[in-house]
Amino acid sequence: MKFYKISVAALSALMLAACSDDDNLNTSDVTVNMKDATMLMAEDFSSTYYRIPVVLDGVPNGPVKVTIDVAEETTEPAMEDIHYVITSKTITIPKGQTEGYFEIIPTGDNEVNEDRVFSASIVSAQGANVGPNATCTITILDDDHYLVDAYTYVQGTYTFRATNPSNGAAVSQTWIISGVNEGEEGYLKELTVAGLQGYAWAGLKASLSFDAVEKTASLTFQYGQTIAEQVGFDGIGNMDVKLGSVSGNSYISSGAVSATASQDYSEILFAPSALFAGGLYEPGGGFAGYVWFQWTNMSLTKIQ
């Protein structure tokens, strides 16, 4: 089988330095309010956090410190530290800025339940007056009752289309997405994709999530997972194939990429920057320096 030579990536983490707050608080006439009266949050949020924005009305001449508190609402309340976490209840809006954010992280669960509600209210401000719009009511939307339908609808036969970035050639393959039966481990969460490179034995694992705010399902593919084992390649022998990506001339073996299904599940689209590469590994060993394939501009169109 054909393969491509590529080097191993050296990855490093970037450290972000935080600046200290200016102690010379604002003294001009400024009012702080919640930017929005209501917000929706998905229970199983895939990113780091949601932002609840507060805004300043006026021209501050220094930083403003804002403190909030939360309260449970309705007969199905969202409870702090159980259904969501606040990274800090006090923030500082720096001099020269008129908007700040409180970070809320929904914890999520795997149970079908009613949407849960809580309120966040500005209780004090240093360097500003608290305005009349001091409360935001937040609804944490349950995603689990959507997952039953999403798990069924996303399964099927698709035409996979992509571009080989090494030569610009168009790629077209038939992929089959399948799940596990109800009651089995991974039901509603885990999916299997088969048919890579036209082989039934070459496949991927994907995890399913549902954004209850946008009403869309997403599939997440982890880099480093095994696509196939003991595949024969001319000149180098049998190799295991693992999913990764490519940056320049370097192979990336960690991280993940997601694709979002259309609301009618007729298409599954990857971000334009997403890239799949099949890295060749010595059986039981490390990266051999070659890739079986590279794909970008990826999409899936449902056939049945």
Side-chain angles (χ1 to χ4, degrees):
M1 293 184 180
K2 188 177 180 180
F3 52 86
Y4 304 87
K5 178 71 176 178
I6 202 161
S7 61
V8 181
L11 303 179
S12 62
L14 296 177
M15 300 299 292
L16 300 178
C19 298
S20 60
D21 293 335
D22 186 349
D23 292 330
N24 299 316
L25 295 173
N26 172 67
T27 57
S28 65
D29 187 14
V30 171
T31 301
V32 60
N33 287 287
M34 287 290 185
K35 185 175 183 179
D36 303 303
T38 61
M39 281 188 66
L40 300 177
M41 297 181 178
E43 178 184 73
D44 291 317
F45 189 49
S46 59
S47 297
T48 306
Y49 52 79
Y50 277 101
R51 285 179 163 183
I52 300 179
V54 294
V55 292
L56 300 179
D57 181 17
V59 182
N61 58 26
V64 172
K65 290 187 177 181
V66 183
T67 299
I68 62 169
D69 204 356
V70 295
E72 298 173 10
E73 301 287 342
T74 75
T75 56
E76 192 71 26
M79 294 179 281
E80 184 183 4
D81 296 330
I82 296 177
H83 303 124
Y84 65 93
V85 176
I86 304 175
T87 59
S88 177
K89 290 185 179 179
T90 298
I91 62 169
T92 298
I93 303 174
K95 179 182 178 180
Q97 297 185 20
T98 58
E99 188 164 321
Y101 306 93
F102 290 90
E103 299 172 356
I104 308 293
I105 306 170
T107 56
D109 58 38
N110 295 319
E111 300 177 358
V112 176
N113 53 259
E114 296 297 322
D115 297 336
R116 298 186 173 106
V117 184
F118 71 100
S119 62
S121 300
I122 302 171
V123 293
S124 67
Q126 294 176 262
N129 300 309
V130 178
N133 303 316
T135 297
C136 178
T137 301
I138 298 104
T139 302
I140 301 178
L141 301 174
D142 177 58
D143 65 344
D144 295 295
H145 65 280
Y146 294 105
L147 280 172
V148 175
D149 287 341
Y151 195 69
T152 299
Y153 296 151
V154 79
Q155 296 182 51
T157 303
Y158 291 81
T159 297
F160 170 76
R161 293 184 177 89
T163 301
N164 182 342
S166 64
N167 57 19
V171 176
S172 180
Q173 301 174 7
T174 299
W175 288 9
I176 298 175
I177 299 178
S178 58
V180 301
N181 295 325
E182 184 175 359
E184 296 180 358
E185 184 178 356
Y187 177 63
L188 302 184
K189 294 293 184 182
E190 296 179 4
L191 295 162
T192 299
V193 181
L196 276 70
Q197 293 285 71
Y199 298 104
W201 43 259
L204 295 170
K205 297 291 185 182
S207 59
L208 178 69
S209 60
F210 193 91
D211 187 330
V213 176
E214 299 296 331
K215 300 295 189 292
T216 54
S218 294
L219 280 67
T220 298
F221 301 85
Q222 294 291 331
Y223 292 149
Q225 64 171 293
T226 299
I227 296 171
E229 296 179 334
Q230 296 287 325
V231 181
F233 291 92
D234 295 342
I236 57 175
N238 292 343
M239 292 283 166
D240 293 343
V241 184
K242 297 185 180 182
L243 181 65
S245 184
V246 170
S247 177
N249 199 38
S250 297
Y251 178 71
I252 310 297
S253 60
S254 61
V257 66
S258 294
T260 301
S262 59
Q263 291 190 354
D264 64 358
Y265 296 91
S266 62
E267 290 186 304
I268 300 174
L269 301 177
F270 293 79
S273 60
L275 191 149
F276 276 177
L280 304 190
Y281 283 72
E282 299 282 352
F287 180 57
Y290 303 93
V291 295
W292 186 16
F293 57 78
Q294 295 183 58
W295 298 322
T296 189
N297 301 321
M298 298 181 292
S299 67
L300 290 159
T301 302
K302 200 166 193 178
I303 302 172
Q304 63 181 35

